[in-house]
């Protein structure tokens, strides 16, 4: 009986304790109870999900060992989505723990007791649940591992303020905040956090996290010498074997960059000693051979790599092995052997991954240095589809690939036509000997390819029998996997281009491009049936068999006739060949001069200029009666002027004035202001255009007309010429000269198809041709707010109108110009503000171009998640009541609009139309006095009946609510603004 009573009393005590443990009370019992529940309920489940996510990321992470690997696996963009589901669960559990167990109520204090410094710190805290800081830390780490660095930064920033008086919690939060800034690339912000953290006052339990922070910061900041001691400490702290192996590999890479080859070799040896996954171990062994390449055992290293290539375990890594062999040869300055090794690696590669892309990039650079541009184009064209856009050399690779795509058809045309003309002048016996040699080489090449194909098929069959491959092989061409169009996938386009060039060679974009000799194609009479006419002609002459046999021979590259058919024997054929030569020499010379050396500060400024000089000089000497000579002399003048060869430059002007006195290039060089224009012309033209645009805005048509004429006289080939004509057309339109405007805009569209104002010119021209008039009878280019695509007066069929429904989804929109606002910083600040102030609401943030702004001068940031107009307005009022946020948002304009109404902006209605509608419809509404944004989204808000606005102020939870006129002015101050519209 006593035992039963004891159990009953214990149960009653527990129930009473649970009932009394509210977050609105701050006692020892409530703190213990909520700490216990947060730890062993929600936090435990979240931490288990976090561990599972980390294990999943560790197994699925793929590093690019050809570059400096990141300290954290999340630094690889491809690895950020790994474990996302587990991290989402962690964040959900942590948010729930914070919501249910946060204690912010101040504890009771005996006023008669004297406060010590420790007491004041205790009473000044903002969170009293002693365990909740671990929940905040875990949530931030989960966001960090997700790759949501901006959200994680907001979490850790809030945590550092929440635990400002507690050294351990504050130190950990700031350590992770600096990591987030580093991963975001905000190095100044990361440096500011690090600088303000005094190491002497750091809690000893936060030192480990700060070692990681310092190491990551110095590595990303490329201060490798400073990173080494912290990276050593990080390795000592690390308990995960795979991660420790990654850190040793990173150590070896850094030591190699610093020139410490022996230390790098030892670091890579440590990687092998950690027994990591085979790919990491293999790359460590490859790296060891590279750091030892300058020693005395070069041949031994190459032999070791070739033994690795012979191993069946390394079939997937042959490109990396031969890349390492090539690198060893390069250290010995044996470029021929290096090229052979790289070519073997590219040929034997089976993965078509980043490693092959790096190999092809290095091979292309070698060919580029040797001026073998056709081979360089082949390598660059394939490499650009294998490397990520964030790769260190991607920008230069992309530029070179585009230049070579333009250059190589001309250089190959020069080589081909020179060869054909030389063959035409050879004695027949020698000519046939050369052709037979080409046929013999072709057969050897095809035989080699057949053997390699047979070996590949045998290997594929073996792997299928071993269960390593499915019976149906998948295509090796990587695809985006997101259903995007083929031509939006640079990888697919690049590989398709390479395959086309390999099969067909460089062909012009013309009809019947497949035919080698297009002069044999006869065009029948329109009245005749082509097939019937052709067959009849053969039957009549009795030559059908001979022609069929001849046709087969001329299409078979293993027959002499195939090559003889391409040699220009007749005078007409030789003339066509020389025409191709002249065109190719001119264009190749210009490209060599203007595009291969694109930077005036390049240390190799004159590296390819000699090739340009050779091409243009040959054109002027061999074809003096051709019309292209004047342009060739002009570009030779520019070439000599760039090299400060004044005598040769003056000679070019003399030849132009003597041989082509009325030519446009002669007139251009003879202009007395040419030297000034060449040196300062770009700045003068820009200033002239700025003055013209200002005159246009002020409706000063005479100044506009005079400046446009000055542009035509002094800068006929200037970069802004299309803009001058465009401004002139709009000025005529504002004066009522619709025909003159149409004529000028048509000129822009026809002569300058690539100009940035061409699309807008076409749109306005179409409107003029349809008889439409500008809004307000004047056209203002910057007036995006009054622009719409449909004229309401003309559109009698339109039924969609602006909605005055307040209980639907609304958006709060910030509108800004990208030049005046840091979009990434704005995104971070808004995310941090939302997270810090609205714990039960999750507002989505989306950045995009402003609707209707075809020129891309404006951007918008949409904040969504408001269930009605009242919530959106409360959010705007609270946001701009924050002085810090109000200052940061000063360059932005804001807008409150429903999703339904937003879909009509830019089509049937302009922003100006909506502003007038907003002031008339929404501003007079009385909004709810309840604080709606602290309520979860699942709680349905009752409809609030609209009442007549009261002329007297009413009291709300936040104080005095202004009347309608006051509220209208207040909203205009932070919302629209007259100058905005």
């Amino acid at each position: 009986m006593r035992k039963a009573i004891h159990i009953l009393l214990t149960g009653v005590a527990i129930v009473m304790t649970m009932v009394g443990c509210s977050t609105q009370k701050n006692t020892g019992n409530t703190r213990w109870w909520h700490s216990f529940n947060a730890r062993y309920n929600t936090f435990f489940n979240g931490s288990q999900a976090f561990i599972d996510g980390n294990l999943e990321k560790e197994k699925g992470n793929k590093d690019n060992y050809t570059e400096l690997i990141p300290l954290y696996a999340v630094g690889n963009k491809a690895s950020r989505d790994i474990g996302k589901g587990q991290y989402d669960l962690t964040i959900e559990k942590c948010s729930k723990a914070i919501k249910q167990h946060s204690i912010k109520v101040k504890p009771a204090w005996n006023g008669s007791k004297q406060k010590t410094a420790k007491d004041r710190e205790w009473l000044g805290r903002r969170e009293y649940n002693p365990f909740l800081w671990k929940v905040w830390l875990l949530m931030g780490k989960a966001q960090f591992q997700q790759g949501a660095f901006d959200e994680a930064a907001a979490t850790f920033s809030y945590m550092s303020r929440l635990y400002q008086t507690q050294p351990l919690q504050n130190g950990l939060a700031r350590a992770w905040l600096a990591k987030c800034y580093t991963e975001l690339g905000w190095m100044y912000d990361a440096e500011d956090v690090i600088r303000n953290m005094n190491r002497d006052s750091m809690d000893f339990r936060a030192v480990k996290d700060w070692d990681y922070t310092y190491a990551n910061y110095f590595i990303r900041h490329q201060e490798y010498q400073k990173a080494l001691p912290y990276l050593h400490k990080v390795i000592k702290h690390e308990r995960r074997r795979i991660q420790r192996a990654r850190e040793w590999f990173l150590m070896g890479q850094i030591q190699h960059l610093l020139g410490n080859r022996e230390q790098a070799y030892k670091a890579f040896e440590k990687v092998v000693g950690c027994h990591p996954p085979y790919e990491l171990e293999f790359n460590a062994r490859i790296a060891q051979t590279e750091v030892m390449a300058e020693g005395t055992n070069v041949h031994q290293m190459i032999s070791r790599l070739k033994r690795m290539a012979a191993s069946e375990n390394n079939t997937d890594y042959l490109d990396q092995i031969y890349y390492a062999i090539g690198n060893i040869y390069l250290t010995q300055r044996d470029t021929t052997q290096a090229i052979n090794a790289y070519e073997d690696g590219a040929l034997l590669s089976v993965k078509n991954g980043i490693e092959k892309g790096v190999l092809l990039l290095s091979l292309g650079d070698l060919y580029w240095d040797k001026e073998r541009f056709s081979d360089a184009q082949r390598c660059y064209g394939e490499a650009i589809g294998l490397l990520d856009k964030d790769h260190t050399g991607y920008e230069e690779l992309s530029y070179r690939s585009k230049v070579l795509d333009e250059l190589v058809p001309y250089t190959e045309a020069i080589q081909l036509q020179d060869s054909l003309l030389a063959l035409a002048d050879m004695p027949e016996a020698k000519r046939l000997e050369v052709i037979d040699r080409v046929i013999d080489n072709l057969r050897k090449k095809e035989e080699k390819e057949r053997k390699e194909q047979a070996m590949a098929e045998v290997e594929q069959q073996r792997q299928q029998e071993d269960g390593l491959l499915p019976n149906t092989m998948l295509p090796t061409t990587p695809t985006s996997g997101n259903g995007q169009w083929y031509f939006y996938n640079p990888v697919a386009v690049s590989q398709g281009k390479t395959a086309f060039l390999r099969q067909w060679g460089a062909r012009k974009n013309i009809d019947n491009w497949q035919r080698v000799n297009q002069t044999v194609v006869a065009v029948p009479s329109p009245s005749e049936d082509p097939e019937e006419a052709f067959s009849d002609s053969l039957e009549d002459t009795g030559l059908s068999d001979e022609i069929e046999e001849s046709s087969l021979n001329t299409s078979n590259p293993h027959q002499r006739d195939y090559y003889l058919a391409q040699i220009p024997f007749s005078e007409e054929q030789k003339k066509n060949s020389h025409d191709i030569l002249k065109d190719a020499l001119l264009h190749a010379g210009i490209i060599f001069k203007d595009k291969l050396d694109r930077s005036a500060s390049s240390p190799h400024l004159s590296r390819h200029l000699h090739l340009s000089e050779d091409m243009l000089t040959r054109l002027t000497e061999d074809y003096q009666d051709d019309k292209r000579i004047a342009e060739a002399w002009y570009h030779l003048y520019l070439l000599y002027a760039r090299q400060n060869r004044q005598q040769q430059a003056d000679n070019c002007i003399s030849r132009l004035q003597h041989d082509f006195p009325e030519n446009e290039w002669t007139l251009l060089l003879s202009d007395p202001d040419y030297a000034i224009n060449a040196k300062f012309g770009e700045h003068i033209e820009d200033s002239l255009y700025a003055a013209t645009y200002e005159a246009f805005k002020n409706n000063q048509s005479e100044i506009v007309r005079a400046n446009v004429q000055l542009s035509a006289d002094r800068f006929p080939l200037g970069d802004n010429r299309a803009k001058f004509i465009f401004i002139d057309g709009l000025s005529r339109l504002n004066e009522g000269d619709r025909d003159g405007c149409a004529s000028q805009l048509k000129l822009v569209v026809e002569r300058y198809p690539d100009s940035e104002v061409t699309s807008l010119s076409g749109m306005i021209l179409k409107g003029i041709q349809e008889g439409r008039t500008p809004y307000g009878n004047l056209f203002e280019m910057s007036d995006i707010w009054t622009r719409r695509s449909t004229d309401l007066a003309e559109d009698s069929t339109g039924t969609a109108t602006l909605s005055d429904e307040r209980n639907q989804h609304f958006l709060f929109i910030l509108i800004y110009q990208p030049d005046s606002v840091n979009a990434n910083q704005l995104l971070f600040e808004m995310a941090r503000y939302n997270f810090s102030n609205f714990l039960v609401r999750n507002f989505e943030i989306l950045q995009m171009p402003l609707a209707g702004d075809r020129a891309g001068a404006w951007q918008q940031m949409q904040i969504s998640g408001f269930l009605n107009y009242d919530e959106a307005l409360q959010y705007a009022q609270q946001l701009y009541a924050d002085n810090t946020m109000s200052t940061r948002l000063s360059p932005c304009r804001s807008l409150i609009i429903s999703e339904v109404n937003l879909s009509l902006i830019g089509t049937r209605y302009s922003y100006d139309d909506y502003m007038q509608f907003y002031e008339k419809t929404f501003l007079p509404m009385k909004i709810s006095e309840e604080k709606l944004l602290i309520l979860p989204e699942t709680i349905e808000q009752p409809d609030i009946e609209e009442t007549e606005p009261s002329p007297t102020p009413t009291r709300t939870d936040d104080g005095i609510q202004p009347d309608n006129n006051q509220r209208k002015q207040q909203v205009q101050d932070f919302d629209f603004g007259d100058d905005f519209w």
Side-chain angles (χ1 to χ4, degrees), residues 43 85 116-117 145 153 189 295 297 377 410 414 434 471 484 569 628 704 709 799 874 892 895 901:
F43 176 80
T116 64
Q145 293 293 347
D189 299 275
N297 297 324
Q377 181 207 28
Y410 296 118
I414 295 171
V434 172
N471 291 331
Q484 65 180 2
F569 290 110
R628 302 176 181 86
V704 171
Q709 184 59 45
T799 57
Q874 285 188 9
C892 306
L895 180 69
N901 288 337

mmCIF file of all heavy atoms in Angstrom, residues 43 85 116-117 145 153 189 295 297 377 410 414 434 471 484 569 628 704 709 799 874 892 895 901:
data_model
loop_
_atom_site.group_PDB
_atom_site.id
_atom_site.type_symbol
_atom_site.label_atom_id
_atom_site.label_comp_id
_atom_site.label_asym_id
_atom_site.label_seq_id
_atom_site.Cartn_x
_atom_site.Cartn_y
_atom_site.Cartn_z
ATOM 1 N N PHE A 43 16.869 17.382 -30.376
ATOM 2 C CA PHE A 43 18.290 17.512 -30.702
ATOM 3 C C PHE A 43 18.908 16.156 -31.015
ATOM 4 O O PHE A 43 19.725 16.041 -31.942
ATOM 5 C CB PHE A 43 19.041 18.172 -29.539
ATOM 6 C CG PHE A 43 20.527 18.261 -29.765
ATOM 7 C CD1 PHE A 43 21.055 19.272 -30.557
ATOM 8 C CD2 PHE A 43 21.396 17.336 -29.205
ATOM 9 C CE1 PHE A 43 22.419 19.360 -30.780
ATOM 10 C CE2 PHE A 43 22.757 17.421 -29.425
ATOM 11 C CZ PHE A 43 23.274 18.433 -30.211
ATOM 12 N N GLY A 85 18.823 15.670 -47.737
ATOM 13 C CA GLY A 85 17.636 15.252 -46.984
ATOM 14 C C GLY A 85 17.910 15.131 -45.499
ATOM 15 O O GLY A 85 17.073 15.531 -44.670
ATOM 16 N N THR A 116 26.848 40.830 -8.387
ATOM 17 C CA THR A 116 28.248 40.728 -8.779
ATOM 18 C C THR A 116 28.343 40.807 -10.300
ATOM 19 O O THR A 116 27.326 40.855 -11.013
ATOM 20 C CB THR A 116 28.849 39.395 -8.298
ATOM 21 O OG1 THR A 116 28.160 38.322 -8.963
ATOM 22 C CG2 THR A 116 28.686 39.257 -6.783
ATOM 23 N N ALA A 117 29.586 40.830 -10.816
ATOM 24 C CA ALA A 117 29.768 40.857 -12.272
ATOM 25 C C ALA A 117 29.176 39.615 -12.914
ATOM 26 O O ALA A 117 28.584 39.675 -13.999
ATOM 27 C CB ALA A 117 31.266 40.974 -12.599
ATOM 28 N N GLN A 145 26.904 22.604 -44.217
ATOM 29 C CA GLN A 145 27.164 21.384 -44.984
ATOM 30 C C GLN A 145 26.236 21.250 -46.185
ATOM 31 O O GLN A 145 26.558 20.543 -47.134
ATOM 32 C CB GLN A 145 27.017 20.153 -44.075
ATOM 33 C CG GLN A 145 28.069 20.046 -42.992
ATOM 34 C CD GLN A 145 29.457 19.797 -43.541
ATOM 35 O OE1 GLN A 145 29.632 19.471 -44.707
ATOM 36 N NE2 GLN A 145 30.474 19.957 -42.706
ATOM 37 N N ALA A 153 25.468 31.723 -42.350
ATOM 38 C CA ALA A 153 26.059 32.953 -41.818
ATOM 39 C C ALA A 153 25.044 33.736 -41.002
ATOM 40 O O ALA A 153 25.377 34.307 -39.949
ATOM 41 C CB ALA A 153 26.594 33.815 -42.965
ATOM 42 N N ASP A 189 34.857 40.452 -45.072
ATOM 43 C CA ASP A 189 34.022 40.191 -43.892
ATOM 44 C C ASP A 189 34.655 39.115 -43.015
ATOM 45 O O ASP A 189 34.623 39.211 -41.788
ATOM 46 C CB ASP A 189 32.624 39.765 -44.331
ATOM 47 C CG ASP A 189 31.924 40.835 -45.153
ATOM 48 O OD1 ASP A 189 31.315 41.731 -44.564
ATOM 49 O OD2 ASP A 189 32.001 40.777 -46.385
ATOM 50 N N GLY A 295 64.404 15.054 -59.766
ATOM 51 C CA GLY A 295 65.541 14.368 -59.179
ATOM 52 C C GLY A 295 66.304 13.562 -60.222
ATOM 53 O O GLY A 295 66.140 13.689 -61.425
ATOM 54 N N ASN A 297 66.124 10.321 -60.547
ATOM 55 C CA ASN A 297 65.449 9.078 -60.893
ATOM 56 C C ASN A 297 64.292 9.322 -61.862
ATOM 57 O O ASN A 297 63.206 8.777 -61.698
ATOM 58 C CB ASN A 297 64.913 8.386 -59.636
ATOM 59 C CG ASN A 297 66.026 7.984 -58.696
ATOM 60 O OD1 ASN A 297 67.094 7.592 -59.149
ATOM 61 N ND2 ASN A 297 65.776 8.082 -57.401
ATOM 62 N N GLN A 377 43.331 23.908 -81.489
ATOM 63 C CA GLN A 377 41.874 24.030 -81.558
ATOM 64 C C GLN A 377 41.201 22.709 -81.220
ATOM 65 O O GLN A 377 40.198 22.678 -80.493
ATOM 66 C CB GLN A 377 41.455 24.471 -82.960
ATOM 67 C CG GLN A 377 39.961 24.658 -83.114
ATOM 68 C CD GLN A 377 39.485 24.437 -84.541
ATOM 69 O OE1 GLN A 377 40.096 23.687 -85.302
ATOM 70 N NE2 GLN A 377 38.389 25.080 -84.905
ATOM 71 N N TYR A 410 40.875 29.557 -91.732
ATOM 72 C CA TYR A 410 41.699 30.346 -92.652
ATOM 73 C C TYR A 410 43.107 29.762 -92.780
ATOM 74 O O TYR A 410 43.653 29.665 -93.889
ATOM 75 C CB TYR A 410 41.771 31.796 -92.187
ATOM 76 C CG TYR A 410 40.442 32.505 -92.216
ATOM 77 C CD1 TYR A 410 39.859 32.996 -91.050
ATOM 78 C CD2 TYR A 410 39.749 32.690 -93.413
ATOM 79 C CE1 TYR A 410 38.638 33.646 -91.070
ATOM 80 C CE2 TYR A 410 38.526 33.347 -93.437
ATOM 81 C CZ TYR A 410 37.979 33.816 -92.271
ATOM 82 O OH TYR A 410 36.763 34.454 -92.294
ATOM 83 N N ILE A 414 44.786 28.201 -96.137
ATOM 84 C CA ILE A 414 46.080 28.608 -96.698
ATOM 85 C C ILE A 414 46.963 27.394 -96.938
ATOM 86 O O ILE A 414 47.563 27.230 -98.014
ATOM 87 C CB ILE A 414 46.771 29.606 -95.752
ATOM 88 C CG1 ILE A 414 45.968 30.906 -95.670
ATOM 89 C CG2 ILE A 414 48.195 29.887 -96.213
ATOM 90 C CD1 ILE A 414 46.462 31.852 -94.600
ATOM 91 N N VAL A 434 53.460 11.541 -104.324
ATOM 92 C CA VAL A 434 52.959 12.196 -103.108
ATOM 93 C C VAL A 434 51.582 11.661 -102.751
ATOM 94 O O VAL A 434 51.286 11.377 -101.578
ATOM 95 C CB VAL A 434 52.926 13.722 -103.312
ATOM 96 C CG1 VAL A 434 52.225 14.392 -102.140
ATOM 97 C CG2 VAL A 434 54.330 14.278 -103.486
ATOM 98 N N ASN A 471 24.550 -4.815 -70.177
ATOM 99 C CA ASN A 471 24.626 -5.324 -71.540
ATOM 100 C C ASN A 471 24.498 -4.228 -72.569
ATOM 101 O O ASN A 471 25.050 -4.293 -73.656
ATOM 102 C CB ASN A 471 23.531 -6.370 -71.779
ATOM 103 C CG ASN A 471 23.810 -7.636 -70.980
ATOM 104 O OD1 ASN A 471 24.973 -7.949 -70.719
ATOM 105 N ND2 ASN A 471 22.762 -8.351 -70.590
ATOM 106 N N GLN A 484 17.338 20.091 -70.592
ATOM 107 C CA GLN A 484 17.519 21.330 -71.326
ATOM 108 C C GLN A 484 17.826 21.021 -72.786
ATOM 109 O O GLN A 484 18.262 19.935 -73.136
ATOM 110 C CB GLN A 484 18.636 22.168 -70.714
ATOM 111 C CG GLN A 484 20.020 21.525 -70.810
ATOM 112 C CD GLN A 484 21.070 22.413 -70.190
ATOM 113 O OE1 GLN A 484 20.758 23.464 -69.674
ATOM 114 N NE2 GLN A 484 22.304 21.984 -70.234
ATOM 115 N N PHE A 569 43.866 22.300 -111.856
ATOM 116 C CA PHE A 569 44.685 22.230 -113.060
ATOM 117 C C PHE A 569 44.339 23.344 -114.044
ATOM 118 O O PHE A 569 45.230 23.938 -114.662
ATOM 119 C CB PHE A 569 44.513 20.869 -113.752
ATOM 120 C CG PHE A 569 45.119 19.728 -112.979
ATOM 121 C CD1 PHE A 569 44.314 18.770 -112.354
ATOM 122 C CD2 PHE A 569 46.494 19.605 -112.855
ATOM 123 C CE1 PHE A 569 44.863 17.719 -111.650
ATOM 124 C CE2 PHE A 569 47.058 18.547 -112.145
ATOM 125 C CZ PHE A 569 46.246 17.604 -111.540
ATOM 126 N N ARG A 628 41.566 43.807 -101.997
ATOM 127 C CA ARG A 628 41.789 43.648 -100.557
ATOM 128 C C ARG A 628 43.086 44.306 -100.094
ATOM 129 O O ARG A 628 43.346 44.394 -98.892
ATOM 130 C CB ARG A 628 41.832 42.168 -100.192
ATOM 131 C CG ARG A 628 40.588 41.376 -100.556
ATOM 132 C CD ARG A 628 40.784 39.901 -100.238
ATOM 133 N NE ARG A 628 39.632 39.096 -100.595
ATOM 134 C CZ ARG A 628 39.403 38.578 -101.785
ATOM 135 N NH1 ARG A 628 40.260 38.812 -102.787
ATOM 136 N NH2 ARG A 628 38.341 37.837 -102.020
ATOM 137 N N VAL A 704 21.157 67.451 -80.209
ATOM 138 C CA VAL A 704 21.204 66.026 -80.570
ATOM 139 C C VAL A 704 21.605 65.874 -82.029
ATOM 140 O O VAL A 704 22.502 65.094 -82.381
ATOM 141 C CB VAL A 704 19.844 65.359 -80.302
ATOM 142 C CG1 VAL A 704 19.824 63.952 -80.888
ATOM 143 C CG2 VAL A 704 19.551 65.313 -78.811
ATOM 144 N N GLN A 709 25.665 64.325 -86.138
ATOM 145 C CA GLN A 709 26.423 64.612 -87.357
ATOM 146 C C GLN A 709 27.932 64.616 -87.073
ATOM 147 O O GLN A 709 28.730 64.123 -87.877
ATOM 148 C CB GLN A 709 25.997 65.967 -87.936
ATOM 149 C CG GLN A 709 26.652 66.318 -89.263
ATOM 150 C CD GLN A 709 26.343 65.290 -90.333
ATOM 151 O OE1 GLN A 709 25.199 64.858 -90.484
ATOM 152 N NE2 GLN A 709 27.368 64.900 -91.091
ATOM 153 N N THR A 799 -9.680 41.069 -70.714
ATOM 154 C CA THR A 799 -10.613 40.949 -69.598
ATOM 155 C C THR A 799 -9.911 41.007 -68.247
ATOM 156 O O THR A 799 -10.558 41.209 -67.232
ATOM 157 C CB THR A 799 -11.387 39.618 -69.697
ATOM 158 O OG1 THR A 799 -10.427 38.536 -69.720
ATOM 159 C CG2 THR A 799 -12.217 39.573 -70.978
ATOM 160 N N GLN A 874 2.619 44.920 -42.873
ATOM 161 C CA GLN A 874 3.277 44.861 -41.568
ATOM 162 C C GLN A 874 4.763 44.549 -41.722
ATOM 163 O O GLN A 874 5.604 45.112 -41.018
ATOM 164 C CB GLN A 874 2.597 43.804 -40.683
ATOM 165 C CG GLN A 874 1.253 44.233 -40.126
ATOM 166 C CD GLN A 874 0.715 43.235 -39.106
ATOM 167 O OE1 GLN A 874 1.422 42.313 -38.698
ATOM 168 N NE2 GLN A 874 -0.538 43.418 -38.705
ATOM 169 N N CYS A 892 17.323 51.144 -52.867
ATOM 170 C CA CYS A 892 16.282 50.293 -53.460
ATOM 171 C C CYS A 892 14.924 50.973 -53.409
ATOM 172 O O CYS A 892 14.657 51.823 -52.554
ATOM 173 C CB CYS A 892 16.194 48.954 -52.731
ATOM 174 S SG CYS A 892 17.751 48.056 -52.608
ATOM 175 N N LEU A 895 7.925 47.623 -53.314
ATOM 176 C CA LEU A 895 6.597 47.496 -53.904
ATOM 177 C C LEU A 895 5.863 46.374 -53.192
ATOM 178 O O LEU A 895 6.436 45.308 -52.933
ATOM 179 C CB LEU A 895 6.741 47.182 -55.401
ATOM 180 C CG LEU A 895 5.466 47.008 -56.215
ATOM 181 C CD1 LEU A 895 4.745 48.335 -56.355
ATOM 182 C CD2 LEU A 895 5.805 46.448 -57.593
ATOM 183 N N ASN A 901 -1.774 40.395 -59.466
ATOM 184 C CA ASN A 901 -1.538 41.698 -60.092
ATOM 185 C C ASN A 901 -0.147 41.774 -60.725
ATOM 186 O O ASN A 901 0.037 42.438 -61.749
ATOM 187 C CB ASN A 901 -1.704 42.817 -59.066
ATOM 188 C CG ASN A 901 -3.153 43.033 -58.680
ATOM 189 O OD1 ASN A 901 -4.059 42.673 -59.433
ATOM 190 N ND2 ASN A 901 -3.387 43.595 -57.501
#
